[in-house]
Amino acid sequence: MRSVLITGANRGIGLALARQYATEGARVFACCRDPGGADKLRDLIASSGCRLHIVKLDVADEASIASLKAVLDDQPIDILINNAGLSGLSADRIDAAGYITTMRVNALAPMLIAQTFRENLTKSTEKKLVAITSIMGSTSTAGGGKYAYRASKAALNNGMRGLSRDWARDGILVALLNPGWVQTEMVTGQTAYISAEECARGLIDRINELSPATSGILQDYRGVRIRW
Ligand SMILES: NC(=O)c1ccc[n+]([C@@H]2O[C@H](COP(=O)([O-])OP(=O)(O)OC[C@H]3O[C@@H](n4cnc5c(N)ncnc54)[C@H](OP(=O)(O)O)[C@@H]3O)[C@@H](O)[C@H]2O)c1
């Protein structure tokens, strides 16, 4: 059975990914900071035939990452999806603490999680490492504002691109996927054009297609290439 680990799975895009993978018959490790409050994930346990497991993970906390590793031990993970993210402050003011938190969650955590679960990926059949990034991390198309968010996603892209090269010798494939403009809490009050379910369908299709030829490239949920 295919095993999928998803961070930030209690709402938004992560929840839609968890729901679709569980419905398709995968074993899903749905990670969230507060399992006690993850009502929507709990509803999925029964409907997925208990293949979905809710596990605690605060991606900003190295001890929490280590605890999850202790729980999973060396079980194979076919698809590891770094989805958890923060939008950062929208104001033009650059706030040091907020900037560092955004970098920690969006850029550093996916790299630490990849490193921690590298062996689990290597032991799997599919060996797919996924990062949910943003077009706002594209330096060549960058507008203004959201400085911490843009910088964090650019750093994420660069780090994951590096892993796609260095870990290719282990057969690990890396997907860098922009989900589009999606109706979630992150974009409250703005005009997002697709639902989280439609987005997740596209992301899963791209992950299914992932191959050595597409590993390490930046593309959106429809498979459209994005400039760095
Ligand atoms: N929505 C869009 O249009 C859009 C566009 C481009 C990129 N993205 C990216 O897509 C991903 C998912 O975003 P979304 O739209 O689904 O946003 P969302 O509804 O705000 O969900 C964000 C998720 O990340 C989790 N999270 C935040 N900090 C965390 C931490 N320290 N540890 C563990 N989990 C943490 C949240 O958990 P809590 O409930 O505990 O806070 C939540 O589950 C993000 O990486 C985002 O940057 C979204």
Side-chain angles (χ1 to χ4, degrees):
M1 188 189 300
R2 195 183 212 192
S3 283
V4 183
L5 187 149
I6 305 165
T7 68
N10 55 306
R11 60 185 163 99
I13 296 167
L15 177 65
L17 286 167
R19 184 180 290 121
Q20 291 188 28
Y21 273 120
T23 302
E24 287 178 4
R27 182 171 195 214
V28 177
F29 296 105
C31 305
C32 59
R33 285 194 275 200
D34 176 21
D39 299 339
K40 290 178 180 160
L41 281 177
R42 246 195 318 281
D43 291 345
L44 286 179
I45 295 177
S47 62
S48 72
C50 299
R51 288 185 306 274
L52 184 134
H53 307 270
I54 303 174
V55 286
K56 187 172 172 62
L57 177 65
D58 179 342
V59 303
D61 179 357
E62 281 183 79
S64 178
I65 297 172
S67 296
L68 179 58
K69 174 64 182 169
V71 169
L72 297 185
D73 197 15
D74 60 357
Q75 294 183 57
I77 298 172
D78 287 290
I79 303 171
L80 168 53
I81 305 180
N82 284 290
N83 164 76
L86 290 177
S87 66
L89 299 173
S90 56
D92 290 341
R93 193 173 149 269
I94 297 162
D95 158 66
Y99 200 105
I100 289 168
T101 301
T102 305
M103 291 296 286
R104 180 159 197 109
V105 170
N106 293 357
L108 175 60
M111 296 297 286
L112 289 175
I113 290 168
Q115 179 173 262
T116 301
F117 295 100
R118 181 180 178 177
E119 281 303 309
N120 304 72
L121 281 168
T122 305
K123 288 187 166 143
S124 78
T125 307
E126 296 192 49
K127 304 181 176 58
K128 291 177 176 172
L129 172 63
V130 180
I132 305 302
T133 181
S134 169
I135 193 161
M136 291 173 80
S138 164
T139 302
S140 56
T141 64
K146 291 264 182 190
Y147 305 112
Y149 187 72
R150 290 179 186 283
S152 70
K153 293 295 188 178
L156 171 67
N157 292 347
N158 197 296
M160 288 286 158
R161 169 86 174 182
L163 295 186
S164 77
R165 297 299 179 259
D166 292 338
W167 293 2
R169 59 177 170 266
D170 295 335
I172 294 175
L173 302 169
V174 181
L176 276 159
L177 298 172
N178 168 43
W181 196 227
V182 192
Q183 295 147 5
T184 67
E185 286 184 32
M186 188 175 278
V187 291
T188 301
Q190 302 175 50
T191 320
Y193 58 82
I194 55 167
S195 67
E197 295 300 327
E198 182 182 352
C199 166
R201 184 69 267 148
L203 295 174
I204 290 171
D205 287 345
R206 302 291 78 74
I207 294 166
N208 285 339
E209 289 168 5
L210 182 61
S211 71
T214 55
S215 182
I217 69 166
L218 180 58
Q219 58 182 329
D220 77 5
Y221 71 106
R222 299 162 302 182
V224 176
R225 286 284 287 268
I226 298 169
R227 286 186 290 144
W228 296 109

